[in-house]
């Protein structure tokens, strides 16, 4: 019951925060000039009039909010896809972003955890010292550096992949092998720093747990080091690590996608976000901004609830 109350409370606060972000972004956008271009069609003039572009900012705000609540109408794209619904433009760009983030997460988390466990069991040995020297380099370099390295050596020098994910627009579906082929380098570019940070966190937490008293008790009962590690130590170590994984995934989904998609020319939400700013496509910018804010807030909620899921002794209030 406490968890349910806490969840409902957090959802309410999340929606309130999202509403505040929505309001701030809308007001800041309306402070920018958005004149009617020369030679505008009658359809554009009618659409602008329906959205209240000739009215005050407050009136425009309530018209826009009312359209969202009653018709789920987030406005119109004026530049990227002329006179199409902003939500349609955004949804069409979601699939590449979801694919590169999910696949990089699926690749990075198991490899990062296994590497962290391997190194933690060899604490203060030569493997641990070599790992520490290499991992600092991998964590310090941002994902776009790995993107350029992969582009140069694997795509340009070896010719195994294309420099740009151009064929992604010509595939028949999101499971088409050509799409996965085009997205392989950006997936690796996002996964490499993720693997490094995950393995470092697992190694740090697991090293601390391996020296605890309950691990000594488990070994005295006859469990091997591997059995004691995965049956007892690993679960306790994952309690602080899981929220970090969720946070890293959300960071990749927003900031990481923006950088990687522009480097590889992927027509996803990250590239769309940059295009909306560059082309001043205000309504599509609103949709994208609110979506990224919602993902970040929702991730915070899931991260907090994950503590009680991993350990029922931890109660959230």
């Amino acid at each position: 019951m406490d968890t349910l109350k806490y969840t409902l409370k957090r959802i309410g606060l999340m929606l309130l925060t999202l509403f505040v972000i929505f309001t701030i972004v809308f007001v800041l956008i309306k402070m920018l000039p958005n004149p009617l271009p020369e030679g505008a069609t009658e359809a554009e003039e009618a659409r602008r009039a329906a959205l209240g572009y000739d009215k005050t900012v407050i009136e425009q705000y309530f018209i826009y909010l009312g359209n969202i609540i009653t018709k789920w109408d987030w406005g119109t794209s004026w530049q990227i896809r002329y006179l199409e619904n902003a939500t349609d433009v955004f949804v069409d760009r979601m699939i590449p972003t979801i694919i590169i983030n999910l696949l990089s997460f699926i690749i990075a988390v198991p490899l990062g955890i296994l590497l962290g466990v391997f190194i933690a069991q060899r604490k203060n040995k030569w493997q641990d010292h070599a790992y520490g020297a290499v991992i600092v380099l991998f964590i310090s370099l941002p994902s776009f550096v790995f993107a350029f390295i992969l582009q140069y050596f694997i795509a340009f020098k070896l010719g195994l992949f294309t420099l740009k994910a151009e064929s992604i627009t010509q595939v028949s579906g999101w499971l088409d092998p050509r799409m996965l082929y085009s997205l392989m380098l950006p997936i690796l570019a996002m996964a490499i720093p993720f693997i490094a940070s995950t393995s470092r966190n697992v190694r740090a937490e697991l090293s601390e747990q391996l020296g605890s008293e309950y691990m000594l008790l488990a070994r005295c009962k006859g469990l091997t080091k591997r059995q004691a590690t995965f049956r007892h130590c690993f679960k306790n170590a994952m309690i602080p690590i899981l929220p970090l994984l969720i946070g890293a995934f959300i960071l990749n989904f927003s900031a990481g996608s923006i950088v990687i998609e522009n480097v590889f020319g992927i027509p996803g939400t990250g590239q769309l976000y940059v295009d909306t700013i560059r082309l001043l496509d205000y309504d599509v910018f609103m949709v994208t901004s609110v979506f990224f804010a919602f993902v970040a807030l929702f991730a915070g909620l899931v991260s907090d609830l994950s503590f009680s899921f991993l350990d029922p002794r931890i109660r959230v209030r």
Side-chain angles (χ1 to χ4, degrees), residues 96-136:
T97 300
I98 292 174
I99 289 176
I100 62 175
N101 281 276
L102 281 182
L103 290 183
S104 64
F105 186 79
I106 291 172
I107 292 172
V109 170
L111 291 178
I113 290 176
L114 291 176
L115 180 59
V117 172
F118 175 81
I119 297 300
Q121 292 180 330
R122 289 156 180 80
K123 185 178 179 180
N124 296 328
K125 296 183 179 179
W126 70 267
Q127 296 98 328
D128 187 25
H129 296 302
Y131 162 83
V134 173
I135 211 66
V136 170

Side-chain angles (χ1 to χ4, degrees), residues 166-218:
E166 296 173 352
S167 61
I168 194 174
T169 59
Q170 304 169 0
V171 300
S172 57
W174 67 276
L175 288 178
D176 192 309
R178 289 178 296 171
M179 175 175 279
L180 298 178
Y181 173 81
S182 297
L183 295 178
M184 188 54 63
L185 287 186
I187 289 170
L188 291 177
M190 295 187 71
I192 291 173
F194 207 165
I195 293 172
S197 61
T198 300
S199 62
R200 183 185 66 169
N201 293 327
V202 171
R203 182 261 178 201
E205 291 296 332
L206 207 58
S207 296
E208 182 178 350
Q209 296 293 332
L210 285 172
S212 60
E213 294 180 355
Y214 74 86
M215 281 295 294
L216 179 61
L217 177 62

Side-chain angles (χ1 to χ4, degrees), residues 256-270:
S257 294
I258 292 174
V259 175
I260 294 298
E261 288 178 11
N262 280 275
V263 171
F264 287 96
I266 301 172
T269 56

Side-chain angles (χ1 to χ4, degrees), residues 14-25:
M14 181 185 73
L15 294 176
L16 178 61
T17 305
L18 191 65
F19 177 74
V20 172
I21 294 173
F22 170 88
T23 303
I24 293 174
V25 174

Side-chain angles (χ1 to χ4, degrees), residues 193-248:
F194 207 165
I195 293 172
S197 61
T198 300
S199 62
R200 183 185 66 169
N201 293 327
V202 171
R203 182 261 178 201
E205 291 296 332
L206 207 58
S207 296
E208 182 178 350
Q209 296 293 332
L210 285 172
S212 60
E213 294 180 355
Y214 74 86
M215 281 295 294
L216 179 61
L217 177 62
R219 294 298 303 277
C220 291
K221 287 183 176 181
L223 294 179
T224 65
K225 187 176 182 180
R226 183 185 299 273
Q227 290 174 331
T229 299
F230 284 97
R231 290 185 187 180
H232 302 285
C233 185
F234 182 72
K235 184 177 180 180
N236 290 333
M238 285 302 295
I239 293 175
I241 291 174
L242 183 59
L244 295 176
L245 293 178
I246 296 173

